Amino acid sequence: LNCRLVMKYLKILLFLFLLIGTIVILRNHQDTVSQPYHTSVGRAFGTTYRVVYQASVPQDSIIQLSLLAVDSSLSMFNPQSTLACINSGSSNKVDTLFRHVFELAQKVSEATHGAFDPTVAPAVNAWGFGPEGKRELSREEIDSISHLVGYQQVSLMGDSLIFNTESQVTLDFGAIAKGFAVDYVAQKLREEGVTNYMVEIGGEVVVSGVNDKGESWRIGVQSPDAHQATLQKVIQLKDAAMATSGNYRNYYVNDEGVKVAHTIDPRTACPVSHSLLSATVLAPSCAIADAYATAFMVLGVEDSKRILENHPELSVYFIYSEQDSIQVYSTID
């Protein structure tokens, strides 16, 4: 009899436990659903940012502090940043954010056989896509700057950056820092309990959950038409990151009437010359998507396909020209 009573009471207690748990879950879900969506906009890293997220209170201070932390570490234009101090030779000490981005950049450089290279800045500037303006280089000038380019020339030892050559190599994380900043803002929002958000900086995006309509986030890919800003495709993103790199707007025409693209191949220190106009990459993180989008613009369509064979975590949407018509290669579902 006592055993029967005990079992009866246990069943009642189990029922009450399940009932209370269900009420708590439903209440938390209702609280989350009732939270408003907020939008934070501004400028960072020489471009604009837009963050849309669902939270009980605005998270503007978290977003701005996150952007400031990345700027203080990786900015080329903040003279007090870790990167600027290393480039000027006043310090070789790295911080946590710098270390993370440097190690990630080295991995992508190795995986793409040097098509992505954060030491390419001297060649980019020399070809006229830096502050000095456009200019043509002679073969001798190209040879003279080639020894300044090469990710293998820099390494980490403890908390210090080591240059493996006598010449001072210049680091520029412009092709990965925006993507990392997107990831970092998203990370800080998650730490605040935000699960539905879209973080976009200069066209680089990471999303989580759903938008204010309860639907997947929809992100557009621009058409390579240089004369008008239209969308080539709209991609539905769910818990993913996306970055796009392209040549169709940032270029100049030289005295011979030849279009000089702003994408410089670090392996040759010369502008690329192939049919790929735009590379959009979907990846687990925006830093990875950003870096590979740049690398694919260096490699072109066919060489990029060979890299993709070893990276199933990446999906791509390539826009390229073929016989005066626009073509698409896509692995996005």
Side-chain angles (χ1 to χ4, degrees):
L1 180 62
N2 288 337
C3 288
R4 289 180 179 177
L5 285 174
V6 170
M7 291 300 295
K8 182 178 180 180
Y9 286 132
L10 286 175
K11 289 180 180 179
I12 292 172
L13 287 173
L14 179 60
F15 172 77
L16 290 174
F17 177 78
L18 292 174
L19 179 63
I20 293 171
T22 302
I23 292 172
V24 170
I25 291 172
L26 290 173
R27 181 172 295 175
N28 288 340
H29 176 72
Q30 185 177 14
D31 290 343
T32 301
V33 170
S34 64
Q35 291 177 357
Y37 275 75
H38 306 269
T39 300
S40 178
V41 297
R43 292 192 63 83
F45 318 120
T47 186
T48 60
Y49 71 82
R50 183 169 181 261
V51 185
V52 181
Y53 57 95
Q54 186 183 34
S56 57
V57 296
Q59 302 291 322
D60 288 3
S61 60
I62 296 294
I63 294 168
Q64 291 165 7
L65 286 172
S66 301
L67 294 172
L68 181 61
V70 177
D71 181 84
S72 297
S73 176
L74 303 172
S75 174
M76 286 278 288
F77 307 103
N78 177 352
Q80 304 304 317
S81 75
T82 301
L83 177 62
C85 290
I86 287 173
N87 282 340
S88 69
S90 63
S91 171
N92 68 340
K93 299 301 181 183
V94 305
D95 55 50
T96 302
L97 300 188
F98 186 102
R99 172 184 293 277
H100 179 84
V101 172
F102 178 83
E103 291 177 343
L104 181 57
Q106 292 292 87
K107 289 179 181 178
V108 178
S109 295
E110 292 172 4
T112 60
H113 312 296
F116 176 82
D117 192 326
T119 69
V120 75
V124 173
N125 294 334
W127 277 98
F129 296 101
E132 296 181 3
K134 66 180 185 180
R135 60 187 294 260
E136 291 289 298
L137 298 186
S138 66
R139 184 69 256 176
E140 290 76 16
E141 288 175 310
I142 294 171
D143 292 339
S144 70
I145 62 172
S146 292
H147 73 281
L148 298 175
V149 179
Y151 70 94
Q152 304 95 332
Q153 300 186 55
V154 191
S155 59
L156 275 173
M157 183 176 293
D159 64 349
S160 299
L161 199 68
I162 305 300
F163 295 92
N164 304 325
T165 60
E166 294 182 2
S167 59
Q168 177 74 30
V169 175
T170 301
L171 286 169
D172 182 356
F173 291 124
I176 193 173
K178 278 193 302 179
F180 174 73
V182 169
D183 293 330
Y184 194 65
V185 170
Q187 173 190 328
K188 294 304 179 182
L189 288 176
R190 288 195 301 272
E191 291 174 2
E192 296 299 316
V194 178
T195 56
N196 296 319
Y197 58 77
M198 186 277 296
V199 182
E200 179 265 329
I201 303 177
E204 323 296 27
V205 183
V206 67
V207 304
S208 175
V210 295
N211 61 20
D212 58 352
K213 297 179 181 177
E215 302 171 348
S216 297
W217 299 92
R218 294 165 60 85
I219 310 298
V221 176
Q222 280 195 335
S223 164
D225 187 340
H227 302 291
Q228 55 182 340
T230 59
L231 293 182
Q232 175 83 18
K233 182 178 177 62
V234 175
I235 298 174
Q236 287 194 349
L237 279 187
K238 186 172 178 61
D239 302 329
M242 184 178 109
T244 298
S245 183
N247 275 329
Y248 47 91
R249 287 199 170 89
N250 193 358
Y251 64 89
Y252 65 83
V253 179
N254 65 16
D255 295 338
E256 287 73 41
V258 177
K259 184 184 293 186
V260 180
H262 86 284
T263 299
I264 305 298
D265 188 336
R267 302 165 300 179
T268 63
C270 292
V272 299
S273 178
H274 53 60
S275 63
L276 186 57
L277 301 173
S278 170
T280 295
V281 179
L282 272 60
S285 77
C286 200
I288 292 173
D290 198 4
Y292 272 101
T294 299
F296 292 153
M297 286 306 304
V298 169
L299 291 166
V301 176
E302 296 307 319
D303 286 346
S304 294
K305 288 180 181 179
R306 283 187 275 274
I307 297 293
L308 288 168
E309 291 175 0
N310 298 318
H311 292 278
E313 76 278 12
L314 304 178
S315 299
V316 300
Y317 187 87
F318 292 158
I319 304 174
Y320 63 99
S321 61
E322 187 175 89
Q323 297 179 348
D324 297 326
S325 65
I326 299 300
Q327 303 292 328
V328 167
Y329 172 79
S330 176
T331 65
I332 297 174
D333 297 332

